[in-house]
């Protein structure tokens, strides 16, 4: 309900009252195409909440949006600060503990039946912040199996691929959550 309301509020703010879903979609599409650089027709945006199967974005597009948002001085901080932190806060507070991703990876999770997503930013050992998106669908097992794969990929990203569950690599995590882009 909140996400659908935000789409309508966005429409009212940009195009005038009353805010409609159709106008909200137009505002969002204009932003995605003109600011973020999505190719028109390369995605499907039919629902503001994402709680069904009508939207279609690629992992590359979600990463592109996250990278754009991270660098947006005016609004990026709010987006990034709202993401859960691996091993310490939010929906991934119990995930990636005792790996290089702990306190270095911020992400939004998404799980529906047979679908799991983990998208966000991670601080590499060099201090560089990179955006990522891992999208999985069509699996028949429980989500915990997919989460293990996502966790391993997150730890690999945070260690430049040097970490594996069998042999961890020591990565300095001091103040990683607030590292500069």
């Amino acid at each position: 309900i909140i996400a659908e309301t935000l789409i309508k509020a966005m429409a009212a703010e940009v195009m005038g009252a009353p805010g409609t879903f159709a106008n909200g979609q137009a505002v969002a599409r204009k932003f995605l195409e003109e600011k973020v650089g999505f190719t028109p027709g390369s995605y499907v945006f039919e629902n503001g909440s994402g709680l069904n199967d009508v939207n279609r974005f690629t992992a590359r597009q979600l990463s592109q949006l996250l990278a754009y948002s991270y660098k947006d001085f005016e609004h990026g901080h709010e987006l990034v600060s709202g993401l859960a932190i691996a091993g310490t806060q939010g929906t991934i507070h119990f995930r990636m503990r005792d790996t290089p991703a702990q306190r270095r990876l911020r992400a939004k999770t998404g799980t529906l039946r047979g679908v799991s997503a983990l998208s966000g930013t991670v601080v590499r050992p060099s201090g560089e912040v990179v955006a990522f998106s891992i999208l999985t669908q069509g699996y028949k097992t429980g989500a915990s199996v997919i989460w293990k794969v996502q966790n391993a990929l997150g730890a690999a990203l945070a260690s430049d691929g040097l970490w594996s569950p069998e042999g961890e690599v020591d990565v300095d995590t001091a103040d990683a959550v607030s590292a500069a882009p």
Side-chain angles (χ1 to χ4, degrees):
I1 292 172
I2 293 170
E4 296 288 341
T5 303
L6 286 172
I7 292 290
K8 293 177 181 178
M10 195 169 56
E13 178 73 25
V14 174
M15 300 176 91
T20 65
F21 183 73
N23 284 348
Q25 282 180 300
V27 169
R29 284 188 177 108
K30 183 176 180 178
F31 169 77
L32 292 172
E33 293 167 11
E34 293 180 9
K35 298 289 187 183
V36 182
F38 285 20
T39 302
S42 68
Y43 63 94
V44 176
F45 175 56
E46 297 295 330
N47 176 277
S49 70
L51 290 176
N52 60 32
D53 62 358
V54 296
N55 292 339
R56 296 283 186 269
F57 293 91
T58 67
R60 181 181 304 266
Q61 287 171 324
L62 293 177
S63 297
Q64 185 178 349
L65 176 59
L66 283 161
Y68 174 89
S69 298
Y70 186 86
K71 293 175 185 172
D72 182 318
F73 181 76
E74 188 175 3
H75 303 107
H77 175 75
E78 283 78 15
L79 172 76
V80 173
S81 68
L83 298 175
I85 301 172
T88 63
Q89 297 177 11
T91 55
I92 56 174
H93 74 277
F94 60 94
R95 294 174 58 182
M96 294 172 264
R97 284 189 180 152
D98 301 320
T99 74
Q102 183 172 334
R103 296 186 41 78
R104 299 180 70 82
L105 183 144
R106 286 182 173 266
K108 170 74 178 94
T109 61
T111 304
L112 297 171
R113 182 180 303 211
V115 177
S116 182
L118 183 71
S119 301
T121 59
V122 63
V123 181
R124 296 178 56 200
S126 67
E128 175 189 21
V129 177
V130 295
F132 70 92
S133 183
I134 305 165
L135 307 177
T136 308
Q137 73 174 32
Y139 61 87
K140 305 289 185 217
T141 63
S144 63
V145 173
I146 302 304
W147 292 349
K148 287 180 184 178
V149 174
Q150 292 171 347
N151 295 349
L153 289 170
L157 286 170
S159 68
D160 285 342
L162 299 176
W163 181 89
S164 70
E166 296 80 36
E168 299 179 29
V169 171
D170 187 23
V171 175
D172 182 14
T173 60
D175 301 320
V177 170
S178 61

